Each structure stands twice: as structure tokens, then as C-alpha cells.
């Protein structure tokens, strides 16, 4: 499996390309702010041709470039229905700190947006992505499980980071939902699962199980909501 990534825009959102190898088709994950040109350069380095964009959730720092990427390559996007509409009115979903900067901003959806359903297996570019609905950061947050060859992988979006979890204080966020997602979706995964998060460095489930205080709280079924990370 070939995984390429770069941190996009001011928020450093990890944009990924996933393929079976160089000079093949690929899936693009979370093309965020100012991602169009660096994504094109990254794809060209390995001769990759995108066939779809998959979105872990609808926040602006993960979706800002989805329209030009989808239009430029004539490919569909995939998004959980609970986050549909977040592109059209980003100010509503990003809290009071950013709302004044986003008021009036409209980002039209790509021509084709397909729904992500919990438990669905997407077969794209020779890659199988298993979708798990994991609300908490947003109502429609998802993670994608995949086989990296030497180990299982998890494209975690803003659900799980190295040492932290996604923030839950923005509209649509919920700490009880995040606890359930961590308990029911994340904690059952094998320790050797490689976590490819929406921000920051990669980690493993085993490392987070041993050191991440929020996973410990989820396992215990208690804990106060964190400030977390993400937009």
C-alpha cells in the first residue's frame, strides 16, 4: 500500500493519497485549505490518478478544496449525510471565533456527493476502505479502516490524534458521542493498527491505549470533555 500525505493550509490538515502502488489510481482523503497545487505535485511525483475524494467530516479545514479537486479530476466525493450542508454554510458550524471570518462564505458541493454509511466497504482504486460512523467531533464524523499490508490502518480524521482526540465544543460536537465512538469504534481495534490522523503525526492504537488519557476515560466510561484538536 502506498500512502502519501502533506499538511494543508494554516491548520495543517493532513491530506492523504492512498493507492496500491505508484503509477496507479488513488483515493484522496480530506483536501483542505490551499490543497489543490500541493496535491497535484504530490500525485505527479508517484504518477497517481485520483478516482474519488473521501471526507472524514465536513469541517472547512478538511473540505475547503474538495470542489476544485473533484471538478479538476472529474471525480465524486463521499461524505456522511449527517455532515451534508456544512460546505454551504460553514459559519454555522465553526463557532463564534471563526464565524465572523466566514459569514457569507459559500462553498458549493461538488457535482456528485455520495453518502457514507456505517459499515459500508468502499472499493476504490483497488483499495478497500471500511467506513465506521464515529460522531463526537461532528455529527457525521467517520473513520476508515484499511489494510496497509504489514499492519491494519485507520484514517482517523479528527476523532483520534497522537495524545489527544478531536474537540467537541463546536456546533454538532458532543462529548458523550465522542466517548461512545472511542469506546465502540476505536478501542476494539488491534494494538498494531497504524493511526493516520487528520492533524499531527501518525501513531498506533497500542500507543494511544497506553498513553492517551481520553481513551482511558472512554474505557472507564467517564471523564470531562477535552479542549481537543481540530478546527
Amino acid at each position: 500500500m502506498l500512502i502519501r500525505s502533506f499538511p494543508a493550509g494554516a491548520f495543517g490538515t493532513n491530506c492523504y493519497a492512498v493507492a496500491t502502488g505508484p503509477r496507479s489510481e488513488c483515493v484522496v482523503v480530506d483536501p483542505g485549505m490551499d490543497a489543490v497545487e500541493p496535491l497535484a505535485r504530490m500525485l505527479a511525483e508517484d504518477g497517481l490518478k485520483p478516482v474519488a475524494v473521501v471526507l472524514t467530516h465536513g469541517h472547512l479545514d478538511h473540505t475547503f478544496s474538495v470542489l476544485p479537486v473533484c471538478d479538476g479530476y472529474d471525480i465524486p466525493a463521499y461524505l456522511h449525510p449527517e455532515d451534508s450542508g456544512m460546505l454551504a454554510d460553514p459559519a454555522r458550524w465553526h463557532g463564534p471565533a471563526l464565524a465572523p471570518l466566514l459569514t457569507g462564505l459559500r462553498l458549493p458541493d461538488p457535482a456528485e456527493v455520495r453518502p457514507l454509511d456505517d459499515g459500508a466497504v468502499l472499493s476504490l482504486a483497488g483499495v478497500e476502505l471500511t467506513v465506521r460512523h464515529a460522531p463526537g467531533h461532528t455529527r457525521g464524523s467517520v473513520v476508515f479502516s484499511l489494510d496497509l499490508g504489514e499492519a491494519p490502518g485507520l484514517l482517523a480524521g479528527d476523532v483520534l490524534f497522537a495524545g489527544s482526540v478531536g474537540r467537541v465544543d463546536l456546533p454538532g460536537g458532543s462529548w458523550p458521542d465522542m466517548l461512545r465512538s472511542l469506546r465502540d469504534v476505536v478501542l476494539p481495534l488491534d494494538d498494531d493498527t497504524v493511526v493516520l490522523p487528520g492533524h499531527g503525526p501518525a501513531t498506533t492504537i497500542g500507543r494511544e491505549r497506553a498513553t492517551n488519557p481520553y481513551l482511558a476515560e472512554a474505557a472507564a466510561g467517564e471523564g470531562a470533555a477535552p479542549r481537543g484538536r481540530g478546527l
Side-chain angles (χ1 to χ4, degrees), residues 76-148:
Y78 290 78
L79 178 68
H80 193 277
E82 289 282 354
D83 277 3
S84 63
M86 292 181 74
L87 289 180
D89 188 10
R92 176 184 174 190
W93 301 100
H94 291 82
L98 287 178
L101 302 176
L102 302 177
T103 299
L105 178 63
R106 295 294 183 268
L107 299 174
D109 288 346
E112 185 177 5
V113 180
R114 301 177 182 176
L116 292 171
D117 298 318
D118 184 45
V121 179
L122 304 180
S123 295
L124 302 166
V127 177
E128 287 197 346
L129 301 174
T130 300
V131 181
R132 289 302 312 274
H133 187 208
H137 182 61
T138 68
R139 294 171 184 165
S141 288
V142 301
V143 299
F144 300 99
S145 294
L146 69 163
D147 183 1
L148 298 179

Side-chain angles (χ1 to χ4, degrees), residues 180-207:
R180 282 189 290 270
S181 293
L182 295 174
R183 182 193 66 203
D184 298 341
V185 177
V186 173
L187 282 170
L189 297 173
D190 292 342
D191 280 352
D192 59 350
T193 301
V194 177
V195 178
L196 303 169
H199 302 267
T203 183
T204 66
I205 292 295
R207 184 179 302 137

